[in-house]
Amino acid sequence: MYKLDQPLFLLFFILLIPGIYLWKRKKPQGILFTSFISGAFLKTWRIRLLFLPGLFYILAVLGFILALCRPVYQQGDTRDIKEGIVMEVILDRSGSMGTWMDKELTTNRLDIVKKTFLEFLEEREDDIIGLTIFAGYADTLSPLTVSHGVFPQFIDSISLAEKEADGTAIGDAIALGIARIESFRKGLEKKSDAVIILLTDGQNNRGELKPMEAAEMAAARNITIYTIGFGGGYYRNAFGFLQEIPPEYEVDGKTLTEVAEKTGGMYFNAEDESSLRKIYSKIDRMEQTEIENITFTRKDELFQFVLLISLAFLFAGILLNELLIPAVEHDL
């Protein structure tokens, strides 16, 4: 397609119109001659061509302006390539995630975690995200993907662990997340930044791998881990009254802090939906990547051809002006 790279120079066309008008107004519209000259003389071809030098000058100026606008012929498509982060989100679904978070006993920890995760996805549309869930053992719920439309149905399928599968295998969950990231990275020419977000409400009590052993594996592979301890809520005491649970209760903040710091990440403590949403927002700001705009196009410059044509008009106008005017004056 043809386009102008510097279209602002078209403003000169607007300025040119009154300039031409004033020039034509001041310029004599013909050659003075006596009334004794025959009327047939007015129809000679020289008189008829007297307008050409002025026309060529105007065309030359228009051409110069067009050349300033940098006309190009563009081939190919222009599109933006956005490169995001490889991110594995690991969510706890152990039985304790069923703790009620409101006095009406309508929303539990897992409900809030599922809701805020989907909100977080909306802010990370360019990232490659995978989802791992765990309780007594870890399981991959979604492979790493940029097709985030699949997550709502995956999130809906998450339920609290049954009694026989209950527990908190933090080390194994991190190890599975690392394995998924490394498997994905093998297919990439450039090793992308990678992040794990681990959310739990307890402490490691199941699995083969200790959390710090998994953290060392992540650090060796340049994977940053952000850990979130999600506590708080309400329970009924022995007398049947609702009692508030301290946010830090049963959350192993010490281990989660060590795991995060080992990989260059951070530990956060959430006590309700609002604080969890703020934590996700903070992680979102910390893990921003520069989006590179890559243009796949080929441009052929055309201004030089326009410039040559304009010069040709200019020289033609000068030449005709030099030839016609003396010829007409000689006829007179």
Side-chain angles (χ1 to χ4, degrees):
M1 61 178 293
Y2 294 97
K3 61 177 290 187
L4 300 176
D5 264 2
Q6 304 291 335
L8 287 177
F9 284 106
L10 288 174
L11 293 174
F12 284 123
F13 280 116
I14 300 174
L15 299 175
L16 187 64
I17 294 172
I20 294 174
Y21 172 77
L22 293 174
W23 175 68
K24 291 290 288 180
R25 187 177 179 182
K26 290 182 179 181
K27 185 178 178 181
Q29 298 300 307
I31 298 174
L32 295 176
F33 54 89
T34 71
S35 59
F36 298 102
I37 302 295
S38 170
F41 171 77
L42 297 177
K43 298 181 181 180
T44 64
W45 64 272
R46 292 186 179 90
I47 295 297
R48 294 172 185 269
L49 295 179
L50 277 177
F51 74 95
L52 282 179
L55 175 62
F56 285 165
Y57 291 150
I58 292 172
L59 292 175
V61 173
L62 293 176
F64 291 144
I65 294 174
L66 186 60
L68 286 174
C69 293
R70 293 283 298 278
V72 297
Y73 179 71
Q74 181 173 295
Q75 293 176 295
D77 296 325
T78 302
R79 53 193 178 98
D80 295 337
I81 301 300
K82 301 181 179 180
E83 183 179 354
I85 294 174
V86 177
M87 181 180 294
E88 187 75 18
V89 180
I90 303 174
L91 303 179
D92 189 346
R93 69 178 191 96
S94 60
S96 58
M97 291 293 288
T99 301
W100 298 113
M101 296 300 290
D102 60 338
K103 291 183 179 181
E104 292 75 24
L105 307 184
T106 58
T107 304
N108 61 32
R109 289 175 183 168
L110 188 59
D111 294 332
I112 292 175
V113 166
K114 292 159 68 171
K115 178 182 178 182
T116 52
F117 169 72
L118 291 176
E119 291 174 353
F120 178 66
L121 281 181
E122 295 176 1
E123 305 299 324
R124 310 294 303 189
E125 60 180 12
D126 299 311
D127 290 332
I128 303 158
I129 296 178
L131 181 60
T132 295
I133 55 175
F134 73 100
Y137 61 89
D139 189 25
T140 298
L141 190 61
S142 170
L144 286 157
T145 179
V146 291
S147 301
H148 298 172
V150 301
F151 283 106
Q153 67 181 69
F154 286 139
I155 287 295
D156 286 341
S157 70
I158 300 176
S159 59
L160 296 171
E162 300 293 336
K163 186 175 181 179
E164 62 274 11
D166 204 4
T168 310
I170 294 175
D172 286 5
I174 293 175
L176 181 58
I178 293 171
R180 293 291 174 259
I181 289 172
E182 287 300 283
S183 177
F184 182 84
R185 276 175 162 179
K186 288 180 181 178
L188 301 177
E189 294 182 5
K190 179 183 176 183
K191 203 166 187 178
S192 300
D193 295 334
V195 168
I196 287 176
I197 298 177
L198 171 77
L199 186 148
T200 182
D201 69 343
Q203 48 194 292
N204 191 74
N205 56 23
R206 294 283 298 271
E208 301 295 327
L209 206 62
K210 295 180 180 179
M212 282 307 297
E213 292 174 339
E216 290 172 0
M217 293 170 55
R221 292 161 176 78
N222 197 29
I223 299 173
T224 304
I225 300 178
Y226 294 98
T227 54
I228 303 173
F230 190 26
Y234 298 88
Y235 75 101
R236 290 193 181 278
N237 60 23
F239 301 99
F241 297 107
L242 286 177
Q243 190 166 338
E244 192 170 355
I245 303 172
E248 67 278 0
Y249 181 72
E250 290 190 343
V251 176
D252 189 359
K254 181 177 181 296
T255 298
L256 293 177
T257 300
E258 291 173 351
V259 167
E261 291 180 349
K262 181 68 177 179
T263 63
M266 288 183 66
Y267 166 68
F268 304 92
N269 185 256
E271 59 184 23
D272 53 25
E273 182 176 340
S274 176
S275 61
L276 183 56
R277 189 177 289 112
K278 289 178 182 177
I279 289 169
Y280 273 128
S281 296
K282 188 170 184 177
I283 294 174
D284 178 57
R285 292 192 299 270
M286 293 171 67
E287 289 297 331
Q288 291 293 333
T289 56
E290 293 184 2
I291 297 176
E292 183 179 5
N293 295 324
I294 303 176
T295 304
F296 295 93
T297 57
R298 174 187 168 186
K299 288 183 179 180
D300 295 323
E301 296 281 356
L302 302 176
F303 77 92
Q304 61 269 35
F305 301 110
V306 177
L307 189 59
L308 288 173
I309 294 172
S310 301
L311 289 172
F313 279 129
L314 177 62
F315 291 134
I318 294 172
L319 184 62
L320 284 174
N321 192 64
E322 293 297 321
L323 292 177
L324 283 178
I325 299 302
V328 170
E329 290 176 347
H330 180 268
D331 288 344
L332 291 175

